[in-house]
Amino acid sequence: MKVYGWVDDTCTDGKCAVVRIGPAAGGTREFQACGSGTRKTFSVTFDDQNVAEVTLRLR
C-alpha cells in the first residue's frame, strides 16, 4: 500500500499541521508542517498492508 500527499500549515498560530499514518500492522509515520506557508510532501509504502488510518491534526 502507498500513501502520498502533502500537509500545509496555513495559519500563524504557532501550531503545526500533522498527518499521521497508521497501518494495520507496523510502525506509524508522521509528517508535519510548521510555520505559515510551510508545506511538507510525503510518500510512504507499507509492504504487505492494505489498510491504514490517516489523520490530520494540529499540534
Side-chain angles (χ1 to χ4, degrees), residues 11-12 17 20 27 29 31 35 40 49 53:
C11 294
T12 57
R20 183 176 181 156
R29 299 287 306 271
F31 301 91
K40 175 71 176 182
Q49 298 290 311
E53 182 176 333

Side-chain angles (χ1 to χ4, degrees), residues 3 8 10 13 17-18 20 22 25 34 44-46:
V3 180
D8 285 327
T10 60
D13 57 6
V18 180
R20 183 176 181 156
C34 299
V44 182
T45 301
F46 298 99

Side-chain angles (χ1 to χ4, degrees), residues 2-9 17 19 21 29-34 37-44:
K2 185 172 189 174
V3 180
Y4 60 93
W6 68 90
V7 58
D8 285 327
D9 185 347
V19 169
I21 306 166
R29 299 287 306 271
E30 283 191 355
F31 301 91
Q32 66 181 20
C34 299
T38 302
R39 173 180 279 194
K40 175 71 176 182
T41 59
F42 57 87
S43 179
V44 182

